[in-house]
C-alpha cells in the first residue's frame, strides 16, 4: 500500500483520504503479511477511529457485545490449558444475571493460533480458512497416485524379468551374491526414481500457475524450500524407490542360475497372481476416484440447479457502503429513480440478499417465554418491497404495509422455520410477539413467508425474521426484465454519479453471489477430476504395458492360431478376456467403497442428492 499510494516516499505521518471523506494519518508501516496467514489486510484502522465515524458503535459496551475477534498473547511460560480452564466460565461469572434474563449460557473457548487456518472451530478469521480434511483428502489421493505408479513398475519389471534372466544367471556364475544383485536392482530403481523426480520438478514449475488458479492459492516454488519439506521429499524418494524396486529385485535375484542358463525360466504362478491382484487394486482405486468425481459433480449440479430454481428472476444488487454519508431521504430518492426505469420491475433496500448472510445468532424470545427458551435467529433489515422483489411467497398474514404505522414500527415477517422453532404453526404465528435483548428482532408477527434458501444448500434452513428497517440497510436489490443488462448498468452508474458523486459504484448479480457459496465444492470437483484422470491414465498405461508384454510372450501361439484360421476378433478376445475380467472385479470392489465414502461426504450437506446402487454402478462404468 505504501508503494501504491506514496511511491518511493516514506508514508509515515502522511494523510490518506478514504471514501472521499475519511481522513487518516499513517502512524505505521508493517511488513507485507505472508500469504499463509489467516489475517489478510492491507490497512488497519483503530477502534477509536471507527467510533468517531459511527458514534453509536462501542466495542467495550457490556458483556453482551460478542461481535469482535479477540486474540490473547500469554506470558512466557504460561500454561495455555490452565488459562483456558480459568477463562471458560468468565461470562457466567461476570454477567450471570444478564445471561439468566436472556435464557442462555455462554462459555469462552480458545484455540491456538497455529490451528486457526486449518482447524478453526469458529468462523472468526479475517482471511480465507483452509481445511485439514481437504489436506488429508488430497494427500491421500496423492499417495494412491504414487502407489499406482509403483504398481506399474512392479508389474512391468516382474513381467520383463524373463528378458534379464540370462544377465542374472551370468552374474551369479561370475560370483555375484543374491544381496549384491538386490543392491544392483534397487540402485536401478533409485536412479529411475531420481530421474522421475527431476522431471516432476520441471512439471511442477510449469503447472504451478494452473494449480494456483485451480486451488485459488498463491504458491511459489520457493515456498517449498525449507528443511521439513526437503527432508520429507528425500524420505519419499527412498520410500518410492524401495517400494517399487524391492519385489522385482527379490524376484530377479532369486533366480536359479543353472535353470536360467538352460533357458527354463518362466513367470511363476505366484508372480502372475500378484500381477493380477495389483491390476485389480489399480483399477479399483481409479474407479473409486472416477465415481467420487462424478458424485461431487452431481451434488454440485444439484445445488446449482436448486439454487437457480430459487432465484428465478434476474436481480442485480448495488451496494451502498456504510461509510457513505447518504441520508435516508437521499437513499429513498435514488430508489424511486431506479423504479422509474422501464426495464426495472421492482427495487428493494435491505441489509441482506440470498447469498449474503444477515445478522446471524440474534437472540429472540417467542411470546410468553421472555428470559427462557431463547431462539437463535437470522435478523434481516428490509423495506416493504423486499418480499415482492425477491419473489417470496406469503403463506399466512401479509407483507409490510407502508400505510400502517404499526407495520413500520413493530411489524415482523418470519419464515416457516422461524415459526416452527418458536413453537407455532404458520397460522398461529400471526399476531404473536417476539422480544430480543438487543432490540432486533422485536415486534409483532404480521406475515409468514414460505421457506426459501437465504444461504447455500450445505446449511440447514435458518429461522429468518425480517423487520422494516431501511436505516440498517446498505444494498439495493433490483429485479429487471431480461433485456440489455449492459445498458441498465450504464444507466444505474449515471444515476449513482448524480446522487452520490465521488463515490465508487459497486454491484454484483444475485445468482453469482449465491453460487459463490459453492466455490469449495467446485474446487473439490476440479481436484477430483484431475486426480481421477491421472489415475485412469496411469492404470491404463500399466495395463497397456502388461498386454504388450503378453502379446510378445505369446507371439508363437498367436501365429499358430492365425494359421489355423483364427480371425483378428478371436485373437483380441483371447488376449483381452483376462484383463476385462480383472477390471470387472475391480469395479465390483470399488462400488461398495465409493458408496460408503459418497454417503459420508454427502452427509455434510443439509440438502443433498440421493444416490442409489444404480447411480454408483453407472458412474463406475460397470453397467455401461
Amino acid at each position: 500500500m505504501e508503494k501504491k499510494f506514496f511511491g518511493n516516499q516514506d508514508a509515515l505521518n502522511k494523510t490518506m483520504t478514504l471514501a472521499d471523506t475519511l481522513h487518516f494519518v499513517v502512524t505505521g508501516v508493517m511488513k507485507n503479511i505472508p500469504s499463509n496467514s489467516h489475517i489478510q489486510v492491507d490497512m488497519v484502522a483503530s477502534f477509536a477511529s471507527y467510533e468517531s465515524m459511527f458514534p453509536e458503535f462501542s466495542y467495550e459496551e457490556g458483556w453482551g457485545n460478542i461481535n469482535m475477534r479477540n486474540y490473547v498473547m500469554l506470558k512466557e511460560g504460561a500454561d495455555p490449558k490452565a488459562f483456558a480452564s480459568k477463562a471458560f466460565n468468565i461470562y457466567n461469572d461476570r454477567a450471570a444475571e444478564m445471561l439468566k434474563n436472556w435464557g442462555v449460557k455462554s462459555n469462552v473457548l480458545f484455540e491456538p493460533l497455529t490451528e486457526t487456518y486449518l482447524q478453526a472451530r469458529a468462523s472468526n478469521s479475517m482471511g480465507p480458512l483452509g481445511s485439514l480434511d481437504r489436506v488429508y483428502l488430497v494427500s491421500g489421493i496423492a499417495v494412491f497416485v504414487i502407489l499406482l505408479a509403483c504398481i506399474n513398475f512392479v508389474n512391468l519389471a516382474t513381467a520383463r524379468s524373463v528378458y534379464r534372466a540370462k544377465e542374472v544367471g551370468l552374474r551369479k556364475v561370475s560370483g555375484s551374491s543374491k544381496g549384491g544383485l538386490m543392491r544392483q536392482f534397487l540402485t536401478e530403481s533409485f536412479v529411475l526414481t531420481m530421474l522421475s523426480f527431476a522431471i516432476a520438478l520441471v512439471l511442477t514449475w510449469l503447472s504451478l500457475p494452473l494449480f494456483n488458479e485451480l486451488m485459488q492459492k498463491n504458491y511459489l516454488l520457493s515456498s517449498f524450500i525449507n528443511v521439513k519439506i526437503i527432508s520429507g521429499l528425500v524420505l519419499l524418494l527412498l520410500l518410492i524407490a524401495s517400494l517399487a524396486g524391492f519385489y522385482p529385485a527379490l524376484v530377479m535375484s532369486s533366480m536359479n542360475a543353472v535353470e536360467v542358463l538352460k533357458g527354463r525360466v518362466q513367470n511363476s504362478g505366484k508372480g502372475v497372481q500378484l500381477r493380477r491382484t495389483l491390476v485389480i487394486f489399480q483399477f479399483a482405486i481409479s474407479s473409486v476416484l472416477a465415481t467420487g468425481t462424478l458424485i461431487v459433480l452431481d451434488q454440485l449440479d444439484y445445488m446449482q440447479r436448486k439454487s437457480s430454481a430459487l432465484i428465478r428472476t434476474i436481480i442485480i444488487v448495488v451496494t451502498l457502503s456504510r461509510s457513505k454519508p447518504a441520508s435516508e431521504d437521499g437513499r429513498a430518492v435514488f430508489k424511486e429513480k431506479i423504479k422509474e426505469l422501464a426495464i426495472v420491475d421492482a427495487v428493494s433496500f435491505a441489509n441482506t440478499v440470498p447469498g449474503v448472510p444477515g445478522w446471524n445468532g440474534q437472540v429472540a424470545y417467542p411470546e410468553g417465554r421472555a428470559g427462557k427458551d431463547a431462539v437463535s435467529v437470522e435478523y434481516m433489515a428490509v423495506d416493504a418491497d423486499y418480499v415482492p422483489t425477491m419473489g417470496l411467497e406469503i403463506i399466512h398474514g401479509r407483507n409490510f404495509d407502508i400505510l400502517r404505522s404499526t407495520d413500520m414500527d413493530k411489524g415482523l415477517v418470519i419464515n416457516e422455520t422461524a415459526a416452527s422453532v418458536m413453537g407455532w404453526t404458520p397460522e398461529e404465528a400471526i399476531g404473536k410477539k417476539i422480544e430480543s435483548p438487543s432490540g432486533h428482532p422485536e415486534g409483532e408477527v404480521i406475515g409468514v413467508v414460505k421457506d426459501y434458501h437465504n444461504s447455500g444448500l450445505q446449511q440447514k434452513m435458518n429461522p429468518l425474521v425480517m423487520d422494516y428497517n431501511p436505516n440498517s440497510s446498505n444494498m439495493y436489490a433490483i429485479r429487471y426484465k431480461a433485456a440489455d443488462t449492459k445498458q441498465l448498468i450504464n444507466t444505474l452508474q449515471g444515476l449513482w454519479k448524480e446522487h452520490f458523486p465521488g463515490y465508487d459504484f459497486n454491484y454484483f448479480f444475485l445468482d453469482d453471489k449465491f453460487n459463490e457459496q459453492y466455490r469449495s465444492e467446485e474446487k473439490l470437483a476440479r481436484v477430483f477430476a484431475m486426480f481421477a484422470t491421472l489415475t485412469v491414465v496411469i492404470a491404463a498405461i500399466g495395463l497397456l504395458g502388461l498386454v504388450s508384454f503378453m502379446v510378445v510372450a505369446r507371439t508363437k501361439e498367436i501365429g499358430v492360431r492365425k494359421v489355423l484360421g483364427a480371425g483378428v476378433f478371436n485373437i483380441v478376445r483371447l488376449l483381452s478376456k483376462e484383463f476385462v475380467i480383472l477390471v470387472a472385479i475391480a469395479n465390483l470392489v470399488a462400488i461398495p467403497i465409493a458408496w460408503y465414502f459418497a454417503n459420508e461426504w454427502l452427509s455434510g450437506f443439509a440438502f443433498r442428492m440421493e444416490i442409489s446402487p444404480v447411480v454408483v454402478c453407472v458412474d463406475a462404468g460397470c453397467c455401461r
Side-chain angles (χ1 to χ4, degrees):
M1 290 292 103
E2 183 181 41
K3 288 182 179 178
K4 178 178 179 180
F5 292 109
F6 299 96
N8 295 323
Q9 295 181 24
D10 186 358
L12 202 62
N13 297 319
K14 297 284 198 320
T15 300
M16 296 185 71
T17 303
L18 306 181
D20 294 335
T21 58
L22 309 176
H23 304 293
F24 288 87
V25 175
V26 179
T27 57
V29 179
M30 60 184 173
K31 288 184 178 180
N32 288 334
I33 297 175
S35 60
N36 61 343
S37 171
H38 77 290
I39 299 174
Q40 293 294 326
V41 295
D42 295 321
M43 294 184 242
V44 179
S46 67
F47 271 121
S49 299
Y50 194 81
E51 284 183 296
S52 70
M53 292 187 289
F54 305 104
E56 74 279 4
F57 172 83
S58 174
Y59 69 98
E60 294 181 328
E61 185 181 316
W63 284 89
N65 189 340
I66 55 174
N67 296 313
M68 301 300 104
R69 299 176 175 90
N70 294 273
Y71 293 82
V72 180
M73 180 181 287
L74 300 183
K75 291 182 178 179
E76 190 77 25
D79 184 350
K81 290 184 178 178
F83 166 75
S85 178
K86 289 179 181 178
F88 184 73
N89 285 312
I90 193 170
Y91 259 83
N92 295 322
D93 294 340
R94 300 297 182 94
E97 189 65 29
M98 180 189 73
L99 294 174
K100 182 181 178 181
N101 292 336
W102 286 12
V104 300
K105 292 182 179 180
S106 181
N107 299 111
V108 181
L109 300 177
F110 294 87
E111 59 188 23
L113 196 62
T114 52
E115 295 179 4
T116 298
Y117 182 71
L118 288 177
Q119 297 171 265
R121 288 172 289 176
S123 301
N124 63 342
S125 167
M126 286 190 276
L129 290 177
S131 166
L132 190 61
D133 290 339
R134 192 65 50 83
V135 171
Y136 287 148
L137 176 64
V138 175
S139 300
I141 295 174
V143 167
F144 279 121
V145 170
I146 292 172
L147 270 177
L148 296 186
C150 292
I151 287 170
N152 275 358
F153 186 86
V154 170
N155 276 342
L156 296 175
T158 52
R160 294 188 72 254
S161 61
V162 173
Y163 296 117
R164 301 193 66 178
K166 289 186 178 179
E167 175 193 344
V168 173
L170 289 171
R171 286 182 180 276
K172 282 197 167 187
V173 170
S174 301
S176 293
S177 64
K178 180 178 179 180
L181 287 169
M182 282 199 70
R183 283 192 294 274
Q184 175 198 334
F185 293 124
L186 282 172
T187 301
E188 290 178 6
S189 173
F190 182 74
V191 170
L192 282 173
T193 304
M194 285 298 296
L195 290 172
S196 301
F197 178 68
I199 296 170
L201 281 178
V202 175
L203 292 175
T204 300
W205 175 66
L206 293 173
S207 60
L208 198 55
L210 179 63
F211 179 81
N212 283 333
E213 184 180 346
L214 180 73
M215 299 298 290
Q216 295 179 352
K217 298 294 182 183
N218 192 31
Y219 292 120
L220 300 172
L221 208 56
S222 57
S223 306
F224 306 106
I225 302 176
N226 65 62
V227 175
K228 286 185 178 180
I229 291 181
I230 292 174
S231 301
L233 285 174
V234 170
L235 289 174
L236 182 64
L237 286 172
L238 292 172
L239 178 65
I240 292 173
S242 303
L243 189 65
F246 179 77
Y247 183 74
L250 181 65
V251 169
M252 288 186 278
S253 62
S254 301
M255 290 179 175
N256 185 293
V258 176
E259 295 294 319
V260 165
L261 294 175
K262 287 182 178 179
R264 297 176 182 171
V265 176
Q266 58 182 6
N267 285 309
S268 68
K270 289 183 180 179
V272 171
Q273 193 59 42
L274 175 67
R275 287 198 293 277
R276 287 172 177 165
T277 303
L278 293 178
V279 167
I280 291 172
F281 178 79
Q282 273 189 311
F283 277 92
I285 295 299
S286 300
S287 294
V288 168
L289 283 176
T291 305
T293 301
L294 292 170
I295 288 175
V296 170
L297 289 171
D298 285 348
Q299 173 64 13
L300 180 61
D301 180 64
Y302 168 81
M303 292 191 297
Q304 289 176 332
R305 279 189 290 104
K306 196 170 179 65
S307 299
S308 297
L310 293 166
I311 306 171
R312 292 180 291 272
T313 53
I314 307 171
I315 293 178
I316 186 172
V317 180
V318 177
T319 59
L320 183 73
S321 171
R322 287 180 63 185
S323 64
K324 292 176 176 147
S327 66
E328 184 176 355
D329 289 341
R331 295 194 297 263
V333 170
F334 182 67
K335 176 184 171 182
E336 290 304 314
K337 289 291 183 182
I338 297 172
K339 289 175 71 174
E340 290 173 5
L341 300 176
I343 192 175
V344 172
D345 288 327
V347 185
S348 173
F349 192 54
N351 78 328
T352 180
V353 292
V356 179
W359 297 354
N360 278 313
Q362 291 295 105
V363 175
Y365 299 109
E367 184 176 306
R369 287 155 57 183
K372 58 182 179 179
D373 300 329
V375 175
S376 177
V377 301
E378 181 177 343
Y379 167 72
M380 300 166 60
V382 303
D383 64 9
D385 294 314
Y386 187 82
V387 170
T389 299
M390 291 298 159
L392 307 184
E393 180 184 345
I394 296 276
I395 56 175
H396 283 284
R398 66 177 188 278
N399 185 28
F400 299 106
D401 185 348
I402 59 174
L403 299 178
R404 300 190 186 196
S405 59
T406 53
D407 283 10
M408 302 296 98
D409 294 336
K410 289 294 182 181
L412 298 175
V413 174
I414 66 176
N415 69 346
E416 291 175 284
T417 299
S420 175
V421 298
M422 291 184 182
W424 309 321
T425 64
E427 297 93 333
E428 293 169 344
I430 306 303
K432 290 290 195 300
K433 290 182 172 58
I434 296 175
E435 297 180 27
S436 174
S438 67
H440 299 291
E442 194 159 283
E444 181 179 316
V445 178
I446 61 171
V448 179
V449 297
K450 187 175 182 180
D451 275 343
Y452 71 99
H453 290 274
N454 206 46
S455 302
L457 275 70
Q458 305 97 324
Q459 303 175 34
K460 292 180 180 178
M461 197 74 69
N462 273 349
L464 305 176
V465 181
M466 312 173 203
D467 78 354
Y468 183 86
N469 188 6
N471 284 335
S472 296
S473 302
N474 62 349
M475 287 184 282
Y476 293 95
I478 305 161
R479 177 158 55 88
Y480 64 99
K481 301 176 179 67
D484 191 344
T485 300
K486 187 175 180 180
Q487 181 60 42
L488 172 64
I489 293 172
N490 290 336
T491 303
L492 290 174
Q493 194 164 15
L495 288 173
W496 182 270
K497 288 179 179 179
E498 179 185 336
H499 289 82
F500 308 113
Y503 296 106
D504 291 337
F505 175 73
N506 297 308
Y507 69 92
F508 60 83
F509 292 98
L510 185 63
D511 55 346
D512 290 341
K513 176 62 72 173
F514 198 89
N515 286 328
E516 277 181 13
Q517 298 173 107
Y518 305 137
R519 292 292 180 261
S520 177
E521 286 72 31
E522 287 178 356
K523 284 198 292 184
L524 182 63
R526 290 197 294 266
V527 169
F528 257 92
M530 180 179 67
F531 276 117
T533 302
L534 192 58
T535 56
V536 170
V537 168
I538 290 173
I541 289 173
L543 191 60
L544 178 64
L546 283 177
V547 171
S548 300
F549 168 77
M550 186 177 68
V551 169
V552 172
R554 300 176 68 175
T555 301
K556 289 184 179 179
E557 177 192 346
I558 293 169
V560 171
R561 287 179 178 274
K562 294 197 80 172
V563 167
L564 295 175
V568 174
F569 176 77
N570 300 104
I571 300 297
V572 170
R573 185 177 62 180
L574 174 71
L575 295 174
S576 62
K577 181 180 178 181
E578 177 184 346
F579 291 104
V580 169
I581 292 172
L582 294 179
V583 172
I585 294 172
N587 275 311
L588 289 176
V589 172
I591 286 172
I593 297 173
W595 170 271
Y596 172 78
F597 284 108
N599 270 303
E600 284 292 302
W601 180 70
L602 288 170
S603 66
F605 294 86
F607 298 87
R608 47 165 284 186
M609 58 168 277
E610 292 299 327
I611 58 173
S612 66
V614 174
V615 171
V616 176
C617 185
V618 171
D619 281 350
C622 59
C623 295
R624 290 176 180 169

